Amino acid sequence: MQCPFCKEVDTRVVDSRIAEDGSQVRRRRECPSCGARFTTFERAHLPIPAIRKQDGKVEAFDEEK
């Protein structure tokens, strides 16, 4: 994660916890270069798999099928 203050690319995580809604992780980070602290909210991106049909058409996976 890049520091928003000095643009250093290496930051360390000080604290992690689940956000109020439960769908995000709140991380408190610190930059070793400038010493600034900042918060990030991270969410998992889970792409839905695509299915390629025999005729070459691509459609989203449907669990009901």
Side-chain angles (χ1 to χ4, degrees):
M1 177 63 61
Q2 185 178 21
C3 175
F5 304 103
C6 72
K7 306 302 184 213
E8 176 69 32
V9 293
D10 187 31
T11 59
R12 70 182 193 93
V13 176
V14 177
D15 181 42
S16 289
R17 57 183 69 189
I18 304 295
E20 292 87 29
D21 63 355
S23 67
Q24 298 181 39
V25 176
R26 178 185 175 269
R27 297 195 197 277
R28 192 76 178 131
R29 295 180 176 268
E30 182 177 27
C31 177
S33 180
C34 69
R37 288 189 171 200
F38 57 97
T39 302
T40 59
F41 291 91
E42 302 170 18
R43 181 178 311 190
H45 174 68
L46 304 172
I48 298 173
I51 306 299
R52 185 177 305 274
K53 299 289 189 169
Q54 287 181 348
D55 63 358
K57 192 170 70 171
V58 177
E59 61 183 55
F61 177 75
D62 183 9
E63 194 172 324
E64 296 296 319
K65 291 183 179 180

